[in-house]
Amino acid sequence: MAHSAQNRGAEARASLKQVQAFQQAVESHRFLSEYVANVQQSTALFEEAQPHKRIAAMKAFLAEHVVGHFAFEEKHVFPQLLARESDPATRRVVVELVDEHRAMKVDVSRLRRKMRGVSASGTPQALARLDQSFRDFLEILQAHAVREDNILLAVKQSRRRAAPPE
């Protein structure tokens, strides 16, 4: 009997950790979606006269809000989803999201190479091409964030409905 109570307690703690990870991911996405929208409209980033400052802002965004965010999801959110989720459609979508992360990481690498090229050449044309590539990437990132938000919210809501009342 005590063993069963311990198991339920451990399951409840694990479930709570999972809910907290989902909540953090959803909150992070809300912030990311707003941030991407702000960056796209930001004249400070895209009209910065000094290319090195513009490139530094782009690098910081990619490191913190893309690479760092993906690492968190791939380490904490997606493995829990796959371990706990029995719905094949949801599992398939999670795998697709990870694949999207891989593709966007390749895009990040390309952007970083372009940034190095702009830093080396310093031409206005190279900077304009980098700006457009970065804007294109932000559109892809925003679409991905919205898709992930919808999936995470749906899973979170289904978990709440399935959870036993307290």
Side-chain angles (χ1 to χ4, degrees):
M1 184 74 127
H3 182 63
S4 178
Q6 286 175 340
N7 284 345
R8 284 195 303 270
E11 288 174 5
R13 284 189 298 281
S15 184
L16 178 61
K17 283 183 181 179
Q18 185 179 18
V19 168
Q20 290 169 338
F22 286 139
Q23 287 172 334
Q24 184 177 354
V26 170
E27 286 304 313
S28 180
H29 273 265
R30 277 194 203 120
F31 172 76
L32 180 63
S33 297
E34 291 170 11
Y35 187 84
V36 169
N38 289 339
V39 167
Q40 286 177 323
Q41 297 173 358
S42 172
T43 57
L45 177 62
F46 290 108
E47 293 181 11
E48 170 60 54
Q50 297 179 7
H52 70 280
K53 286 185 180 179
R54 191 178 324 179
I55 291 170
M58 289 177 184
K59 285 180 181 178
F61 175 86
L62 293 173
E64 183 177 346
H65 298 290
V66 179
V67 176
H69 179 80
F70 288 178
F72 169 80
E73 288 180 335
E74 291 169 10
K75 183 176 181 181
H76 299 288
V77 177
F78 295 154
Q80 287 183 18
L81 259 176
L82 291 172
R84 297 256 200 184
E85 189 59 47
S86 60
D87 178 42
T90 302
R91 292 178 63 82
R92 210 171 21 258
V93 171
V94 170
V95 171
E96 289 171 9
L97 292 174
V98 172
D99 289 344
E100 287 178 16
H101 281 191
R102 283 190 197 109
M104 285 187 281
K105 287 176 189 176
V106 170
D107 291 341
V108 167
S109 293
R110 285 186 191 126
L111 283 170
R112 287 177 172 160
R113 279 194 301 276
K114 284 185 180 187
M115 288 176 200
R116 286 191 296 275
V118 169
S119 295
S121 75
T123 66
Q125 296 84 0
L127 187 59
R129 286 190 301 272
L130 173 62
D131 283 350
Q132 188 57 55
S133 294
F134 195 77
R135 287 178 196 268
D136 294 345
F137 176 77
L138 290 175
E139 288 179 18
I140 293 166
L141 180 63
Q142 192 163 24
H144 171 80
V146 167
R147 184 168 178 228
E148 265 186 4
D149 279 350
N150 292 337
I151 292 163
L152 291 173
L153 286 171
V155 169
K156 186 177 170 184
Q157 288 171 348
S158 71
R159 294 267 162 83
R160 278 188 178 159
R161 286 191 297 268
E166 292 179 20

